[in-house]
Amino acid sequence: MKTSFTILFILIVSVISTAQTPTTDSVKSVNEVVTADNVKWGWLNPLRGDKSPAAGKLWGDRTKKEPTGFLVKFKKGFSSPPHIHNITYRGVVIQGLLHNDDEKAEKQCLPAGSYWQQPAGEAHITAADGEENMAFLDIQEGPYLVKPTSEAFDNGERPVNVDKTNLVWLNANDIQWVAEKSNVQTAFLWGSHQKNQLRAALLKLPAGFKGSIKNLSPNFRAVVISGKVTHQFSIKEAKNVLEPGSYFGAEENAEPLLDTDTETVIYIRSNGDFEVK
């Protein structure tokens, strides 16, 4: 009996440990750019073909055990059956209206600029109501799988749905790593600001911003959520115009140059600090 209890305990601990979302990222980012018109698209669930949302790769491989960032496009009226995922993911709405919650929950359509978190093992549905709907999804480990609700489990994390109107924006008076003259604002989304811990925030650049972001960590990835920004890694390198859905990564101590003519919101995921100048 004691042996059986020990085995059961080990199995439970094993299930819980595999469901825990990693808090660091060992993959070192490099200087790279993927513009919105160069995203490679496929099906989120290839077995369902065009009945599945489309998926566009930004970094990583969602079919493997590694951190991944990708775009998802939903057709108007799309509604998934109740399901779970084996891993936790975070999402930001780029275009349209998206609902992500328990199947019995009252419908809450999140507009562009909103954020949500879907814990591993939590039963939910995803639906889209806009004419065109697109979101960015961020996972800390793969593979990204869809499973039946009969396999639901509680990994200790909780779902989050934050409408863009409920985001709290901070400016240079509230945070130290943004230059006061830049008029840049930040809304923290998830993670920890302890040393070498993963964290993510939205960075709002005002129209007319001309400056840079210096990456001080091994891992830095950025996705344009709204607006438009001109990006280059140095004055000598080529410029890229990044519209919503575009991505750029930066190696440690890189300092990409950014230039906007309209207000632009960027999702930044890093494994440490960065500075906006």
Side-chain angles (χ1 to χ4, degrees), residues 183-200:
N183 294 319
V184 170
Q185 294 180 293
T186 299
F188 296 109
L189 298 181
W190 60 267
S192 169
H193 282 262
Q194 295 182 358
K195 187 176 181 180
N196 299 326
Q197 295 292 292
L198 273 171
R199 76 287 304 261

Side-chain angles (χ1 to χ4, degrees), residues 7-21 65 84-87 120-121 141 147 151-156:
I7 294 173
L8 178 61
F9 177 77
I10 292 173
L11 287 173
I12 291 173
V13 170
S14 176
V15 170
I16 292 175
S17 64
T18 57
Q20 293 296 314
T21 303
K65 190 175 178 61
I84 71 163
H85 297 287
N86 59 312
I87 49 85
E141 63 177 345
K147 295 188 174 185
E151 298 183 32
F153 59 89
D154 185 349
N155 78 337

Side-chain angles (χ1 to χ4, degrees), residues 10 63 110 117 174 249:
I10 292 173
T63 67
L110 298 175
Q117 173 178 308
D174 308 299

Side-chain angles (χ1 to χ4, degrees), residues 181-185 203-210 259-264:
K181 64 179 181 179
S182 68
N183 294 319
V184 170
Q185 294 180 293
L203 201 68
K204 185 186 292 183
L205 306 178
F209 174 85
K210 293 182 184 295
D259 184 348
T260 67
D261 57 15
T262 185
E263 183 178 89
T264 300

Side-chain angles (χ1 to χ4, degrees), residues 3 9 35 37 88 99 117 158 171 174 176-177 179 184 210 220 250 273 276:
T3 301
F9 177 77
T35 59
D37 56 355
T88 293
H99 167 77
Q117 173 178 308
R158 293 294 174 259
N171 57 33
D174 308 299
Q176 297 179 346
W177 41 266
V184 170
K210 293 182 184 295
F220 177 99
D273 296 333
V276 182

Side-chain angles (χ1 to χ4, degrees), residues 88-244:
T88 293
Y89 76 84
R90 279 98 177 192
V92 180
V93 183
I94 294 178
Q95 187 178 22
L97 295 166
L98 293 178
H99 167 77
N100 195 86
D101 212 329
D102 181 272
E103 63 176 315
K104 297 180 181 179
E106 184 176 346
K107 202 165 188 181
Q108 177 189 2
C109 289
L110 298 175
S114 302
Y115 162 76
W116 83 95
Q117 173 178 308
Q118 183 59 50
E122 181 88 11
H124 65 288
I125 64 169
T126 302
D129 270 355
E131 291 297 327
E132 296 183 0
N133 306 277
M134 182 167 69
F136 160 70
L137 300 190
D138 186 344
I139 64 174
Q140 272 49 271
E141 63 177 345
Y144 174 92
L145 302 176
V146 177
K147 295 188 174 185
T149 57
S150 60
E151 298 183 32
F153 59 89
D154 185 349
N155 78 337
E157 298 172 336
R158 293 294 174 259
V160 175
N161 285 281
V162 183
D163 189 282
K164 66 174 295 186
T165 59
N166 289 327
L167 291 170
V168 178
W169 292 95
L170 306 175
N171 57 33
N173 294 325
D174 308 299
I175 47 182
Q176 297 179 346
W177 41 266
V178 172
E180 186 172 353
K181 64 179 181 179
S182 68
N183 294 319
V184 170
Q185 294 180 293
T186 299
F188 296 109
L189 298 181
W190 60 267
S192 169
H193 282 262
Q194 295 182 358
K195 187 176 181 180
N196 299 326
Q197 295 292 292
L198 273 171
R199 76 287 304 261
L202 295 178
L203 201 68
K204 185 186 292 183
L205 306 178
F209 174 85
K210 293 182 184 295
S212 64
I213 298 179
K214 184 174 183 179
N215 172 34
L216 302 175
S217 75
N219 190 290
F220 177 99
R221 305 185 185 279
V223 179
V224 179
I225 302 301
S226 64
K228 182 175 66 175
V229 60
T230 299
H231 167 284
Q232 59 185 145
F233 283 109
S234 71
I235 296 176
K236 296 181 180 180
E237 296 192 42
K239 294 182 179 180
N240 286 288
V241 177
L242 306 183
E243 297 183 323

Side-chain angles (χ1 to χ4, degrees), residues 39-46 49 52-57 62 71 73:
V39 173
K40 295 180 179 179
W41 291 92
W43 298 115
L44 187 62
N45 184 350
S52 164
K57 175 182 175 180
R62 69 181 185 278
L71 302 174
K73 285 184 178 179

